[in-house]
Every structure is written in C-alpha cells, then in structure tokens.
Amino acid sequence: MTLSGKLLLGAQQVAGNKGVLHAVNPATGQTLEPAYTLGGADDVARACELAEQAFDVYRQQPAAVRANFLNIIACQIEALGDELITRAMAETGLPKARLEGERARTCNQLRLFAATITSGEQNRVRIDPRQPERTPLPRADLRQRRIALGPVAVFGASNFPLAFSVAGGDTASALAAGCPVIVKGHSAHPGTSELVGQAIQKAVAECNLPEGVFSLIFGAGAEVGAALVAHPVIQAVGFTGSRAGGIALMRIAQARAQPIPFYGELSALNPVLLLPGALAEKADDLGRQFVASLTMGAGQFCTNPGLLLAIESPALDQFVQSASQSLQAANAQTMLSPGIHNAYERSTACIANNSKVQTLAQGPEAASPNSCRAVLFATSASAFLADPNLHEEMFGAASLLVRCRDEQELIKVVSHLDGQLTASLQLNAADFTFAQQLLPLLERKAGRILANGWPTGVEVCNAMVHGGPWPATTDVRTTSVGTAALERFLRPVCYQDLPSELLPAELRDENPLQWKRLVEGKAE
Amino acid sequence: MTLSGKLLLGAQQVAGNKGVLHAVNPATGQTLEPAYTLGGADDVARACELAEQAFDVYRQQPAAVRANFLNIIACQIEALGDELITRAMAETGLPKARLEGERARTCNQLRLFAATITSGEQNRVRIDPRQPERTPLPRADLRQRRIALGPVAVFGASNFPLAFSVAGGDTASALAAGCPVIVKGHSAHPGTSELVGQAIQKAVAECNLPEGVFSLIFGAGAEVGAALVAHPVIQAVGFTGSRAGGIALMRIAQARAQPIPFYGELSALNPVLLLPGALAEKADDLGRQFVASLTMGAGQFCTNPGLLLAIESPALDQFVQSASQSLQAANAQTMLSPGIHNAYERSTACIANNSKVQTLAQGPEAASPNSCRAVLFATSASAFLADPNLHEEMFGAASLLVRCRDEQELIKVVSHLDGQLTASLQLNAADFTFAQQLLPLLERKAGRILANGWPTGVEVCNAMVHGGPWPATTDVRTTSVGTAALERFLRPVCYQDLPSELLPAELRDENPLQWKRLVEGKAE
C-alpha cells in the first residue's frame, strides 16, 4: 500500500484543497510523511451525494451480503500486515502489542457484527397475523421489521486508532445496519486512517457494492465536521471524543431543519467504590490492581478509573500506601499527541494546586517528550461535593481518591456524580448489604456496573453496554460497543396487508431466513 | 365522582393559582362547569419532587406488580361508567359510540402493556457468561437488561381525549416501563382529564404505590409545559399535537443542561397512492372508501388521508366522480374545538384560493357551529412540486388529489414528500411491478405502509408502528402505538461479574421469571 495523503471519496483518491497537515510522532516530535491534504464542504457534499446514491442499493442487500462485506473488510485490514502496525505506532506512540491487540479486536468486532446480522436478531421482526373473524372489527395483517436509518457520519477517537476509528465500532455497526458511512478521519493518525480506509475501499470493490458505501475525509478546524453533521443526507452521527467538541457537533445535529440522532461518547470519571469488607480483606492487592488499570495505555481509556470512593479506615490507609508504591514505580508512557499531553499537564496541575487536594503519589519523572507522569490525588467528601472542578475528567493516568466519613457520606457523593460509563464495586460478602443500597443509585449513574473488576477493558459481546447517562454519552438509550450498537442505526417500519409477493423476505409466512420472530407477542 | 377543577399532584387535589379555564361544548358553544384552576412552575416542581421520590421504588417493583397496576387503572376507568362518556361528549363533540370505542381501546391498551411487561420481551435480557479459559484473556461474566429512564412528561392530544390523553398510549407505555408520569392536561377536555386522573390516583392508592407515580397539571399558555420539559427530574417527553407546539417543546428538551429524548408526533399528510390497476378495477369503490376514511371523526385523525396521488386516466376521473358524490352526501360533523375549527377553515380557504388548485367537491353546508365541511381539492404534480404550501397538513376532512402524468412523475412527487406516519397503496396484481419500484421510496418516507387499506385506524398490537420520519415525528426510531412504544422509556445497563446475590432476578442463572433471554447471542 502507498499512502496518498488524499481524501477517499467513494472509489476515488481526491486531493483536498484546504491546506495540508502532517502527522507527528509523539514519542520523538518527528514529522511524518506524506502531507495530508484537507477537504472542505465541497468534498463533504460529494461524499454525501455518493452515500445517498449507495444507500437504497446497499440497505436492500441480503444480510448475508452485508455480512460478507464486513468479513472482507476484516481480511483486508489483516492483509495490511505490519505496515498498519508500524504506521499506527509512529502516529500514536502506542506499543506494538497494544496495537496488535487492538487490530484483533477491530477485526473480531467486524466479524461479530457479520454474525449478528445473519441471525436477524437486531431486526426484531414482529408479526400479528390477520384476524378476519375478530369483532367488532377484523384485524389487518401487521408485520414490523427494522431498516437502516440512512447515511451515517463517524468521528473517530484518537485513543483507539483502530477500534474506535475508521473501521471501528461506529463504522462497523452502521455498515452492519445497512447504512453507508462517511468518516471524518482523526488528524492525529491520518496515515493509519488512510490504510484502513483503503482496506475498506478494496472490500467495497471486491463485493461489487456501490462506491458511496464508504468515504474518508480529512479536514482542519471545524469546517468538515460541521458540514458533515449539517448535510441533509446524513441521518445519524457517531462521535467519540472531547466533551466540548461533541457538544458543539450535537448542537448542529439538533439545529438542522430535520434533527437527527447524535451518538456522542464524551467523558467519564468511572468511579471505583472500595467497600470496607474488600479493603479489610485485600487492601494491598487492590492498590496494585488499581495502578495497573490506571496506568494502562498511559491512562488513555474512556473507562480509566479517574475517581476512587472509600470510607476512612486503616485499611484505606493501607490501600493508599500500596497504590502509592505501585504508582512510584510506574514508568511514564508516551501519550497520543502533544495536545493530549498538554491537556493532561494542565488538568493535573489544576487539581494539584487546589487547596483542598493532597497529592498522594506520583510516577517517576518522564524522560521523553509527551510522556504521562501518573498521579494519585486525595480530597475529602465535603470538598468534592463543594467544588465542581473536582468532577472534571483528567484524560490520562490521574485519579482522585475521595475520603468519606461513613456510608451515608459515600452515598451522598455517589448521588452527586454526573452520568458515567462505568461504576465499579470492590466488595466481599460483608459488603453485600451496603452494595444492595448502592446498586439502585449506581444504575442511574452508569451504563455498566462492575464487581471486583476494573473498568478498563470493554468486552465486545452481546451484553456489553458502553454508554451511560449524560455527560458520559449524549444518548443514554444506547451502547457504542457490543452487538446492540447496531440498533442505533435502525428504525421500525410496519407493513399492513401487503401481498406476500411484495413483502420483504424476513416478513413472509414461510420465513425463508429462519430468523427468530415475535408472532402475536410470542417468540418463535 | 365529583369534578374538583383542581390539579392532581400525587395523591392530593390542589387548586392552582394561575387563573382558571372552562371547557366549552363545541357543538353548542356552552361553557361547562366547573372552572379549572391552572397551575404554574411551582406545581410542576412539586409534581417532579414527588415523581423523583417515587421513581426508584416504582421502577424496582416486579413486573407483575406494575402489570397489576395497569390492569387496575383500566378497571378504574371502566368503573367511571357513563359519567366519563357523557363528559367527554360534552367537551369534544365526539359521538357516544366513538368514545365508547376509544375507552375500550384505552383499557385494552393498558392491559396489553401489562401482558407485555410480564413476558419480559421489552427488557431484552442478554447474557454472555464468564469464559475463564479464554486466551489470551479470560472473559468476564456480562449481563444486560433494560431499566426505566426516569420520570416522563406527557402532553395529551385533543383528538383522542382518552386513547392519547391522560391514560393514553404515552402514559401507559411509560408506566409500563417503570417511569412515573406527569401529564399536562389538554385544555380542551379538562373534565375528562380529571376523571381519568382520579381513576389513576385510585389505582395508585389501591396498589400501595408511592403517590408520585402520577400527577396531572392544567396550565394556560406555555408556562407549565415549558417548566415541565425543562425540569431536571424529567427524563423523557411524550407529545402528540401541533407541529409548532411540538417543535417549541423539543427545542426546550434539547437546550437543557442534560438533553433528554423528546417523542413528538407532529403532522402528516398520509399519502394514498391510487395505482392504475386498482383504479381500473374498482374506481367507484375506492371513491366511496376514501370518503368514508376522510370524513371519519370529522377528519380529526393523525392518519387522515390528506393526500391522494394518481396518474391521469379515465378510471381516475371515475374515482373523482364517485368520491365527489360521496363527499356531497357526507354530513358535516362537529369538530373538537372552536380553535381546531377555525384552523380548518383557514387552511382549507388558503388551498381553495390557490390559483393552481381546483375544488372538486364539498360536503353539505354545516348547520351547527364548529362543524367540518368536508372538501376534496385537486392540483397538478408540477404545481404540487413547486409550492410548499400544498404540502401543509389541513387538520380535518380535507384532502388534495395530485394528478400525475405518468409513473415517473408520480415517483418524483413521492420522492419530494416530507416524512409521514403512513403511506397507502391501492393496487392489484397488475400494479405489483410498479409497487416494487415504489416500496423502497415509501419505506424512507413513512413508518407504516398499507396495501388496499386506508390509514385511519391504528391497531394497538405488537407489530404496529405509529411513527415516521421528520416531521411526522421527532424521533424516527420509535413508535407511539403498540407494545414497542415502551422501549422509548428504557435504557440498557450491563452488570459485570456481579455476585448472583446482587443480580436482578431476570439476570440470574436460574431465570426465575422464565423470560426469553439472548444467551451468547442465541435466543433461549
């Protein structure tokens, strides 16, 4: 593969005329070739025109054809081999093993969506057959299925250059649902983006699908993103990134003549509650496990444990001691970009300078540029409750311990938290009664509740929820990871008394696809 | 039952202090007692406080308890007997048989939701059990269920004083999902609203549920509605009504610090496509059937057939003749309110005065006040395509026939339509090829597609979709009628490695509720 530095509009490589950008190796500060040409509203319009042309053809392909397409994308990504990993390492500073794991996750994710749409689960077919004898009025024949929403705009995240980027969860689930996708490529990893984009282009050609099923656009500033979200062809948006950026795009989606769903994943503290029984049993272990989760990938996970809640006790002091020791031995890792590193330095300095906050421990000083020096802060529950600044996410390996006087104060702190992606309980049997009290509260605060685990690590499976109440995400009804993610891009349509010849296959009496269906309210 | 003229805040009757309103009998112009006291932002705040207190208790009741509550609401409404029908007749001008049918629909709807939540269908439980041996990493135990969103605000419609009002589809589905409900009562039928509200209050007491599960507030102007949608406790809104009113409230929902789902059903033309084969076969019958659907309930249905599309032919002329004859014999019926009657007169006059529009037929002149004189207009496809005014809903028994030159022009007209609740095809076997061409287009325009039927009449069942693309509704992913309506008020939560003792019953291995669950992606 050769990197072109161009936009991928349908099957074409097109040079943008709005300037260029270069990727930068965050570990060395070195500029990476080639220069990436940047597009504008015209390129967005062209991609949207192609997507609209592709939509009806693509959405009406049998599920097996779309599944095959997803599988071929996975194969094409794997066929990129080391070139993809090498480029991603240079653009992100992430280690090889992590990127190889992320590539496996990305390809498995595509294959899982392929298997899911073949099963028809997500279509949730419902059939209420005709009741000609019913009184006082006969009932018509009514059949419901879900169809694709329309072309989708995807904004990839910097922290997962493969799994949440060009062929990441949003793209995979939208394509699985039957929606063409236009990706705004992340400026921090354009080469990685182009390689994956080329792999998708190849899969589109190999499957003889209309070229507009996929496009990839690079852009500077807000022009491309704003034009994409505002374009009438776009029917939904998937976004993973900063709170400010996400809210700005959400406002555009809302203000359209026709408002559209905006699925943004914005920010989270991912509180971990260290309950007394667990602390008394294994404070040292918990301290070590916490630091391992906190510093993984330089703390650059949406589900990084940025907040610890616990009740004062000698066991808590022991936890702090253990965590501090581990932290002091945790070598600094290169962060994804100079911008993310600067933001980390700013946000941790702001907390460190807060008079109500104590710095408990720090990692070793960083030797290379853009490295993340891990840090653990502590404050009191009353200070936390009084100061909204202490509720802000610090993106990176930083966490804040909130010391509570008793169970009631811990409950009060939880009830004042914003919405979260996750909430974790470290507990043993002695904590069950208290946990029973906490669970209804945690359900209202988070999309996923963990026991005796750490929030980093988001399994791609059927039961996963990677979502949560505002501001963790902009749409609490959904998940962006797991097979339920594709429901975001579907809508129900009901067919009344349609002759069998005109019915979609999955709605016909003979059920040729053998999908599970809800008939008269009963699963069959 | 005695009408109090007061707000129902939880278990209390409270007099509002923002003035009063009286219902008016639209058939006579007579003012109806009692005076209804109007509430303000303070009353909204009190109802929200009660709803918040009730929420966790109510949502955690077993499904069987909530089902019993819904069934008891239905019994309490039936126990109101003729008093409810008499009051509703006086407030709406609707005939007795229609209101009795609507009451049956309302109660059946409550009972259908009760049966649905007992089956657990809507919870869509998903279980991916622990895989301790998996390499390179073991998989955690992951279990997903759906829980209630939170307190819901409901704005009832004037045209269904029972089935889309205080205990209508939005209220029933939100209560079924586990959400407390606060209803803004419609000013056109406050007595009907209070009677039904009292029935719900009785059911709350009979079931020993927290009083905040239900409140009913009357208000003048926009204050109560705006305060309700803006209140931080409210987590979703159900609205059926005018486009302008719905959009104003939607903007408030979007602008909140925490934006919330807004489910608005706003307006639709409900196009009926008269295909050539069907016209050639049965133009006379179609003309009569059309007028029966058009004039039913003085045309005051969201799914009223306000637009006819057909290709010029002698058979179309015959249809027009038949429809005109039926229309001229269709007696005027009292409309719901003077306001609705005025709007009908204005919108039909505006179309009648359009130089590109011909008035084909009118019903007999009305003898009593606020009566709806039915009317059928016609225009050319080119005029329709050129004039957005011709795409506006006329709420009442008025319809516009668009005459097309050929199939291509008809397709062009369809592709320029806004989103619709329904699209209907009158067809026979000779039309199948053309219908195949039209269906993909209609799927993108409407939530329900009918063959050889008329859109009025919305069955409450599992497969129904009463929804559709903007501006038919504000959220194309949903339906406001049928059992899928309750999914609007649920959100997914995932539980990772939770000890069995702490898991909700429906997620435990032993499956005590015997609900269908998706285990490793397979329905069990």
Side-chain angles (χ1 to χ4, degrees):
Chain A
M1 274 296 174
T2 313
L3 293 178
S4 72
K6 293 181 178 169
L7 321 175
L8 307 183
L9 302 182
Q12 308 298 312
Q13 293 180 344
V14 177
N17 60 9
K18 297 274 182 175
V20 296
L21 71 77
H22 281 86
V24 172
N25 185 325
T28 62
Q30 180 204 350
T31 294
L32 299 169
E33 294 301 327
Y36 270 83
T37 66
L38 302 171
D42 288 354
D43 302 295
V44 167
R46 175 64 186 148
C48 287
E49 184 188 357
L50 289 169
E52 172 61 26
Q53 286 165 16
F55 176 48
D56 271 333
V57 178
Y58 181 61
R59 77 178 174 92
Q60 293 184 84
Q61 299 296 319
V65 171
R66 280 183 281 124
N68 183 51
F69 172 49
L70 294 172
N71 287 328
I72 289 177
I73 294 174
C75 293
Q76 288 290 356
I77 290 172
E78 287 164 348
L80 292 168
D82 280 349
E83 187 181 358
L84 178 65
I85 302 298
T86 306
R87 178 76 193 191
M89 286 170 69
E91 289 185 332
T92 65
L94 291 170
K96 187 167 191 221
R98 152 71 199 273
L99 287 166
E100 285 174 345
E102 194 182 325
R103 177 177 60 188
R105 176 196 180 94
T106 305
C107 294
N108 289 345
Q109 182 165 264
L110 286 158
R111 292 180 174 118
L112 180 62
F113 280 118
T116 300
I117 59 175
T118 313
S119 81
E121 213 307 288
Q122 78 294 341
N123 273 59
R124 299 219 296 283
V125 169
R126 295 161 164 245
I127 299 181
D128 293 318
R130 186 174 286 106
Q131 293 181 340
E133 315 296 336
R134 192 183 65 169
T135 55
L137 286 172
R139 187 178 73 186
D141 181 90
L142 292 148
R143 294 167 193 246
Q144 182 188 128
R145 66 165 179 166
R146 311 224 157 201
I147 69 169
L149 264 186
V152 170
V154 170
F155 294 77
S158 61
N159 60 341
F160 281 84
L162 301 172
F164 281 83
S165 188
V166 176
D170 284 341
T171 298
S173 55
L175 290 176
C179 301
V181 169
I182 303 174
V183 176
K184 159 83 160 61
H186 199 287
S187 305
H189 54 263
T192 308
S193 295
E194 189 191 351
L195 287 171
V196 173
Q198 288 182 14
I200 302 178
Q201 274 188 329
K202 282 191 178 182
V204 171
E206 191 174 335
C207 296
N208 286 312
L209 293 171
E211 59 171 327
V213 163
F214 173 78
S215 290
L216 169 64
I217 305 183
F218 301 103
E223 181 186 346
V224 162
L228 196 49
V229 174
H231 199 286
V233 156
I234 297 297
Q235 294 300 301
V237 181
F239 172 92
T240 306
S242 75
R243 191 155 160 180
I247 290 176
L249 290 173
M250 181 188 74
R251 296 293 176 210
I252 295 172
Q254 290 172 336
R256 292 165 47 119
Q258 172 223 10
I260 54 172
F262 183 88
Y263 303 113
E265 191 213 306
L266 306 186
S267 70
L269 302 176
N270 302 295
V272 178
L273 285 65
L274 307 165
L275 301 194
L279 274 178
E281 183 189 322
K282 47 179 179 177
D284 285 344
D285 284 352
L286 290 175
R288 282 189 291 271
Q289 290 168 15
F290 161 65
V291 172
S293 176
L294 177 71
T295 56
M296 189 188 291
Q300 300 165 123
F301 291 93
C302 318
T303 54
N304 197 54
L307 188 68
L308 296 168
L309 308 179
I311 298 166
E312 293 284 13
S313 73
L316 177 60
D317 298 336
Q318 198 182 336
F319 168 87
V320 166
Q321 198 181 351
S322 159
S324 298
Q325 278 173 6
S326 294
L327 203 63
Q328 282 151 7
N331 283 329
Q333 296 168 56
T334 306
M335 298 194 86
L336 290 156
S337 70
I340 284 177
H341 179 253
N342 289 342
Y344 178 74
E345 294 283 315
R346 263 200 319 276
S347 60
T348 50
C350 174
I351 300 295
N353 293 330
N354 188 309
S355 65
K356 305 283 184 168
V357 171
Q358 179 192 2
T359 300
L360 295 178
Q362 269 192 295
E365 242 181 290
S368 55
N370 300 319
S371 283
C372 175
R373 189 177 182 189
V375 59
L376 176 60
F377 300 109
T379 192
S380 67
S382 56
F384 184 78
L385 289 167
D387 187 352
N389 292 324
L390 299 179
H391 297 239
E392 294 288 322
E393 184 182 17
M394 300 173 275
F395 190 75
S399 194
L400 173 66
L401 167 65
V402 178
R403 299 175 186 272
C404 305
R405 274 195 315 273
D406 52 24
E407 293 189 353
Q408 285 323 301
E409 195 171 51
L410 194 149
I411 287 174
K412 193 170 174 193
V413 167
V414 172
S415 68
H416 279 77
L417 291 177
D418 284 336
Q420 305 291 340
L421 293 169
T422 68
S424 305
L425 292 163
Q426 298 296 342
L427 51 69
N428 69 13
D431 300 310
F432 280 7
T433 307
F434 187 33
Q436 292 278 21
Q437 257 189 291
L438 287 165
L439 278 168
L441 196 51
L442 295 176
E443 282 173 341
R444 295 180 63 179
K445 295 292 179 183
R448 177 165 57 115
I449 297 171
L450 299 84
N452 295 325
W454 299 91
T456 41
V458 182
E459 184 74 35
V460 181
C461 61
N462 297 287
M464 178 50 64
V465 176
H466 190 62
W470 179 273
T473 75
T474 58
D475 192 331
V476 69
R477 295 163 294 178
T478 61
T479 174
S480 66
V481 176
T483 57
L486 66 78
E487 296 180 19
R488 297 177 297 167
F489 304 112
L490 296 170
R491 51 173 276 250
V493 177
C494 174
Y495 304 81
Q496 179 170 328
D497 284 336
L498 228 63
S500 181
E501 297 90 329
L502 297 178
L503 274 176
E506 63 266 38
L507 296 184
R508 292 188 193 151
D509 283 341
E510 56 270 29
N511 194 11
L513 304 176
Q514 295 293 303
W515 285 358
K516 298 274 178 189
R517 314 195 290 191
L518 199 73
V519 180
E520 291 283 17
K522 292 196 173 47
E524 286 195 355
Chain B
M1 270 304 171
T2 314
L3 293 178
S4 71
K6 294 181 179 169
L7 321 176
L8 307 183
L9 302 183
Q12 307 298 312
Q13 294 180 344
V14 177
N17 61 9
K18 298 274 183 176
V20 297
L21 71 78
H22 281 86
V24 173
N25 185 326
T28 63
Q30 180 203 348
T31 294
L32 300 168
E33 294 301 328
Y36 271 83
T37 65
L38 302 171
D42 288 353
D43 302 295
V44 167
R46 174 68 185 147
C48 286
E49 184 188 356
L50 289 169
E52 172 60 27
Q53 285 165 14
F55 177 49
D56 271 333
V57 178
Y58 181 61
R59 75 177 175 92
Q60 293 183 85
Q61 298 296 320
V65 171
R66 281 183 280 123
N68 183 50
F69 173 50
L70 295 171
N71 287 329
I72 289 176
I73 293 174
C75 293
Q76 288 290 355
I77 290 171
E78 286 164 349
L80 293 168
D82 279 350
E83 187 182 359
L84 177 64
I85 302 297
T86 307
R87 178 75 193 192
M89 287 171 68
E91 289 186 333
T92 65
L94 292 170
K96 185 166 192 225
R98 151 71 199 271
L99 286 166
E100 286 174 344
E102 195 182 324
R103 178 178 57 188
R105 176 198 180 93
T106 304
C107 294
N108 289 344
Q109 182 165 263
L110 286 158
R111 292 181 174 119
L112 180 61
F113 280 118
T116 300
I117 58 176
T118 312
S119 80
E121 215 302 292
Q122 79 293 342
N123 273 57
R124 299 219 297 283
V125 169
R126 293 162 165 242
I127 299 181
D128 293 318
R130 184 175 288 105
Q131 294 180 341
E133 315 296 334
R134 192 181 67 169
T135 54
L137 286 173
R139 186 176 76 186
D141 182 270
L142 292 148
R143 294 167 192 246
Q144 183 188 129
R145 66 166 180 165
R146 311 224 158 203
I147 69 170
L149 264 186
V152 170
V154 170
F155 293 77
S158 62
N159 60 341
F160 280 84
L162 300 172
F164 283 82
S165 189
V166 175
D170 284 340
T171 297
S173 53
L175 290 176
C179 301
V181 169
I182 302 173
V183 176
K184 159 83 162 61
H186 200 287
S187 305
H189 53 262
T192 308
S193 296
E194 189 191 350
L195 287 170
V196 174
Q198 288 182 13
I200 301 177
Q201 274 187 330
K202 283 192 177 182
V204 171
E206 190 173 336
C207 296
N208 287 312
L209 293 171
E211 59 171 326
V213 163
F214 173 78
S215 290
L216 169 64
I217 304 182
F218 301 103
E223 181 186 345
V224 162
L228 197 48
V229 174
H231 198 286
V233 156
I234 296 297
Q235 294 300 301
V237 182
F239 172 92
T240 306
S242 75
R243 193 156 158 176
I247 290 177
L249 291 173
M250 181 187 74
R251 296 292 176 212
I252 295 172
Q254 291 172 335
R256 291 164 49 118
Q258 172 221 12
I260 54 173
F262 183 87
Y263 303 113
E265 192 211 307
L266 305 185
S267 70
L269 302 175
N270 302 295
V272 178
L273 285 64
L274 307 164
L275 301 193
L279 275 179
E281 182 189 323
K282 47 177 181 179
D284 285 345
D285 284 353
L286 290 175
R288 284 190 290 271
Q289 291 167 15
F290 161 65
V291 173
S293 175
L294 178 71
T295 56
M296 188 188 291
Q300 300 165 126
F301 291 94
C302 318
T303 54
N304 197 54
L307 188 68
L308 296 167
L309 308 179
I311 298 166
E312 292 284 12
S313 73
L316 177 60
D317 298 336
Q318 199 182 335
F319 168 88
V320 166
Q321 200 182 347
S322 160
S324 298
Q325 279 173 6
S326 295
L327 203 64
Q328 282 149 9
N331 284 329
Q333 296 169 58
T334 305
M335 297 194 86
L336 290 157
S337 71
I340 285 177
H341 179 254
N342 288 343
Y344 178 74
E345 294 282 315
R346 263 201 317 276
S347 60
T348 51
C350 176
I351 299 294
N353 292 330
N354 187 309
S355 65
K356 306 283 185 167
V357 171
Q358 181 192 0
T359 300
L360 294 178
Q362 270 192 294
E365 245 182 287
S368 56
N370 302 319
S371 283
C372 175
R373 190 178 183 190
V375 58
L376 176 59
F377 300 109
T379 194
S380 67
S382 54
F384 184 77
L385 289 167
D387 186 351
N389 292 323
L390 298 178
H391 297 238
E392 295 288 322
E393 183 181 18
M394 301 173 276
F395 190 75
S399 194
L400 173 65
L401 167 65
V402 178
R403 298 175 186 273
C404 305
R405 274 193 316 272
D406 52 25
E407 293 187 352
Q408 285 322 302
E409 196 172 51
L410 194 149
I411 286 174
K412 193 170 173 191
V413 167
V414 172
S415 68
H416 280 77
L417 291 176
D418 283 336
Q420 305 290 341
L421 292 169
T422 68
S424 305
L425 292 163
Q426 299 295 341
L427 51 70
N428 69 13
D431 300 311
F432 281 6
T433 307
F434 187 31
Q436 292 279 21
Q437 258 189 289
L438 287 164
L439 278 168
L441 197 51
L442 294 175
E443 282 173 341
R444 294 180 62 180
K445 295 292 178 184
R448 179 165 56 116
I449 298 171
L450 299 83
N452 295 324
W454 300 90
T456 41
V458 181
E459 184 75 35
V460 181
C461 61
N462 298 288
M464 179 50 65
V465 176
H466 190 62
W470 178 273
T473 76
T474 58
D475 193 331
V476 69
R477 296 163 293 180
T478 61
T479 174
S480 65
V481 175
T483 56
L486 67 78
E487 297 180 18
R488 296 178 298 167
F489 303 113
L490 295 169
R491 52 173 276 250
V493 178
C494 174
Y495 303 82
Q496 180 170 326
D497 284 337
L498 229 64
S500 180
E501 296 90 329
L502 298 177
L503 275 176
E506 62 266 39
L507 296 185
R508 293 189 192 149
D509 282 342
E510 56 272 28
N511 195 10
L513 304 175
Q514 294 294 301
W515 285 359
K516 298 273 178 190
R517 316 195 288 190
L518 200 72
V519 180
E520 292 282 18
K522 294 197 174 44
E524 286 194 358

